[in-house]
Every structure is written in C-alpha cells, then in structure tokens.
Amino acid sequence: KIIRTVLRMVHFFKLISVSLLYGTHLSSASLTRRTGRPAVESDNAVAELTSWDKSNRTFLRQIFFEAVDKTSENVALSPVGIYFITSMTTTLINGDLYKNWSKVASRIQLETLNSELVGDPLVDSKSVIAGSYADTVPSNFSMENFKVFDSMNVSAIEEFLETDVSEIEGALGAAVHVLDFKGSWETKFSTEQIVTFSDGVDYMFMKARIPSVPYYNNEKVEMITLPFDGSETSGNSVVIDFIKSKDTSDFVNLEDHPNWLLNSRVVADNTDVSIPKIDIDFSESLNLSAEKKIKYFQKATVKWDEEGITAQAVTIGMTRSISRTPSFVVDRP
C-alpha cells in the first residue's frame, strides 16, 4: 500500500499543502476501465476510482477548494483527519452528517483505519470522546490510543493527546482526533538560496540530487514523487507528491491525480530537485453537518527542512449549549 501526501505548488505565488498526512490511500489500481465503475480518463492509463479517491473528491469539492478560494494564505488540511472524525461521529456519538459526508463515513471501518495509523512508525494517532458524548459510546468499544472521558477535563484530555486542544473549553461534549507525522527524506537536502515570491514572502530553498524520481508531465502540470526514509518497514511506502501548475490561472484539477500516478515514470537515473523550506499553520471550520449545535473544525501545522517533515492535524467535533439563560426584569411599577 502506498500512502501519499500531496503538495500543490501554485505557480510560485503561494504554496498549498493539499492532502496533508495520509491524504490518499492507494491499493493496486486497474489500468483499464470496468463497465459501470467510475473512472478518471486522461493520458494513457485510466485510474479506477477507489473508495479513498471518492472520499478525496468530496474533500476537494466541499472543503479544500472553498478554503483556497477565501484565503491568500497557505492552506494545510488533513483529509484523513476529517474522515476519522466523520467515522467517530456516526460510529460512536450517533451524530447526523450531510449525505456526502455520511457516505464518506460509511466507507471507513473506524477500528481498521485506527490500527493502520497507530501501526505505522512514522505516525502517532490518538483520539478521545469526552463529556456528554461519552454516554453514547458502546460500553464494549475499545481501540488502541483511544480514551473516553466522562467529563470535559481539558487538562487531562490534553495530557492524553499530548497536544493543545484548548478550543474545547466550555464544550458540553467533544470528539477529538490528533494525527502526528514525522518523516526523514530518503535523500537529504542542502540549503541553496533565498527566493522572494511575488507575495513578498522570502523562502529558503533546498536542493538535492535524488535517484530514481518518479516524474509526470503534461501540458498542464508537472509532478514528482519523493519517498521518506524507513517507511517501508511498516509495510507501507510513504511518499509526497509535488505538483506544479503550468497554467497561468494556477488551477490544478486534483481530481486527475490518480491518473497522473498511474502514468508517472522514472525518466533519469538522478534528478536535481529544489523545494522551499516551509512552516505552515492553518485552521478551517468544517461544514459536515446541518446540526447547528455541533461545530467541526481542523487545525494543522506542517514544517519541513533539509532533514524531513514534521506535521500535525487536530480535528474536532464539539457541542456547546445553545440555550439562553432565562432573564426576568421588573421594569413596571
């Protein structure tokens, strides 16, 4: 199994980290279209859409594109963090989701996804259910790195998750998933030079000569794939795809991404790769449910340098009281 993180480099005006932290799970994909099955058609090979591809399309259309459109800042989001919280919502707290997100949740077996994340040496995954949500968790439910808190004891929850979740202060109930990633480049980079982007921000670029780099190129995009050191010890190959637009509009149709992967090839023994050092903090409200009393959001950080990448995504669903305290004022004699 290949586990991918995707970075879209938009014409060097800004960087957009698209599928941070286990964004796309790819099993062996068919190169031909099967009757009645949706597929992405372009280039030479045809990528049959997996359940992960379908979920990623929902993520792109309903969350990512909207986030990009309303900000000029770098965007970092974790699809799998969102998928995990939707599965917790339907499996553990009996919450209602919009139809498309309910479909996403139905494709996920929560315990299986959790075991895949917990079992990978490059990843640390933890989750909690707390407060009023605790009453809905089946008494016989258990999974690794998961804990139920009967009260909203934020300090105890933060101690278990080993991260700040102060946003849940004052909530009646909360579901929280934390995903940490730390990976070292298989080939280390060296610092090259400072480049000023058109937005006025200075980026320090790094350069490395990397052997056997998978490369994809068409009239709209270029893409290379870089591996992380030691990821295959878990049975998974963890990689990152760097995608650069050739279009002056900077638009990249990421729904074609599965097809680019199938048509990616190693075209040279060595490739000189230059990428910027980055440090991104981003948060975004998630419109997953029509239930107004439940708020979903995600905050993500990603940083990479010459040695590798560290990143974290915290995804939260929580309920606050929407009732008003009764008020009685004697304003008549």
Side-chain angles (χ1 to χ4, degrees):
K1 179 181 291 184
I2 301 174
I3 302 174
R4 293 183 178 271
T5 294
V6 182
L7 178 82
R8 173 188 172 199
M9 300 184 66
V10 185
H11 216 64
F12 291 103
F13 287 94
K14 58 182 176 179
L15 303 176
I16 299 177
S17 181
V18 179
S19 299
L20 168 68
L21 301 173
Y22 285 64
T24 307
H25 289 59
L26 294 173
S27 56
S28 55
S30 171
L31 298 184
T32 59
R33 185 174 188 174
R34 295 181 183 177
T35 304
R37 303 284 299 274
V40 177
E41 291 186 89
S42 67
D43 305 303
N44 300 316
V46 176
E48 181 181 315
L49 293 186
T50 66
S51 61
W52 287 103
D53 294 328
K54 295 173 185 176
S55 297
N56 288 338
R57 285 192 165 195
T58 301
F59 161 74
L60 288 171
R61 293 170 178 175
Q62 299 194 7
I63 293 179
F64 173 69
F65 291 146
E66 289 187 9
V68 172
D69 287 342
K70 66 185 182 185
T71 183
S72 59
E73 298 179 356
N74 296 325
V75 174
L77 290 165
S78 170
V80 80
I82 299 170
Y83 307 158
F84 200 103
I85 210 73
T86 61
S87 184
M88 290 179 73
T89 297
T90 58
T91 305
L92 301 180
I93 64 176
N94 300 323
D96 291 326
L97 299 170
Y98 286 124
K99 182 178 179 180
N100 284 339
W101 288 110
S102 182
K103 288 181 178 179
V104 169
S106 70
R107 299 183 189 117
I108 297 171
Q109 213 292 323
L110 184 60
E111 295 96 320
T112 301
L113 175 58
N114 185 72
S115 65
E116 288 181 357
L117 296 175
V118 170
D120 196 296
L122 299 185
V123 172
D124 188 18
S125 174
K126 292 185 176 182
S127 55
V128 304
I129 296 289
S132 61
Y133 290 172
D135 297 335
T136 64
V137 179
S139 58
N140 62 346
F141 181 86
S142 67
M143 61 184 183
E144 193 173 354
N145 286 3
F146 169 77
K147 190 171 183 179
V148 176
F149 291 82
D150 293 329
S151 65
M152 291 300 297
N153 186 336
V154 178
S155 60
I157 293 170
E158 289 181 331
E159 183 178 358
F160 173 75
L161 295 174
E162 299 182 287
T163 195
D164 170 51
V165 289
S166 55
E167 294 87 354
I168 67 174
E169 287 277 5
L172 299 179
V176 184
H177 177 246
V178 177
L179 189 61
D180 287 289
F181 175 86
K182 185 174 183 179
S184 299
W185 302 118
E186 197 168 87
T187 301
K188 302 299 185 291
F189 285 80
S190 60
T191 302
E192 186 183 18
Q193 62 180 337
I194 295 176
V195 176
T196 302
F197 281 28
S198 59
D199 60 3
V201 178
D202 291 339
Y203 289 91
M204 179 68 74
F205 267 67
M206 313 178 300
K207 186 176 182 179
R209 179 161 290 181
I210 302 176
S212 304
V213 174
Y215 175 77
Y216 176 79
N217 178 43
N218 67 15
E219 69 279 4
K220 296 180 179 179
V221 299
E222 284 183 278
M223 182 183 77
I224 62 169
T225 299
L226 303 183
F228 292 103
D229 188 31
S231 63
E232 292 185 356
T233 59
S234 65
N236 297 324
S237 178
V238 183
V239 300
I240 183 168
D241 296 329
F242 288 87
I243 304 168
K244 186 171 72 171
S245 172
K246 293 182 180 179
D247 197 317
T248 56
S249 69
D250 297 327
F251 176 75
V252 174
N253 185 2
L254 289 165
E255 293 182 7
D256 285 337
H257 180 238
N259 208 71
W260 302 338
L261 299 177
L262 288 179
N263 290 281
S264 180
R265 301 288 183 269
V266 175
V267 296
D269 292 337
N270 294 284
T271 302
D272 289 330
V273 177
S274 294
I275 58 174
K277 295 173 68 172
I278 68 166
D279 191 347
I280 299 175
D281 288 279
F282 185 76
S283 62
E284 178 73 0
S285 295
L286 306 173
N287 187 20
L288 306 180
S289 171
E291 294 189 53
K292 297 187 181 300
K293 65 180 181 179
I294 301 181
K295 177 183 179 183
Y296 293 94
F297 68 94
Q298 184 179 89
K299 58 180 182 178
T301 62
V302 58
K303 180 179 182 179
W304 68 63
D305 56 20
E306 294 86 350
E307 298 297 316
I309 295 179
T310 57
Q312 182 184 75
V314 180
T315 314
I316 297 175
M318 64 182 183
T319 300
R320 295 188 184 276
S321 175
I322 59 173
S323 61
R324 296 183 178 180
T325 302
S327 175
F328 179 79
V329 179
V330 177
D331 58 358
R332 294 290 185 273

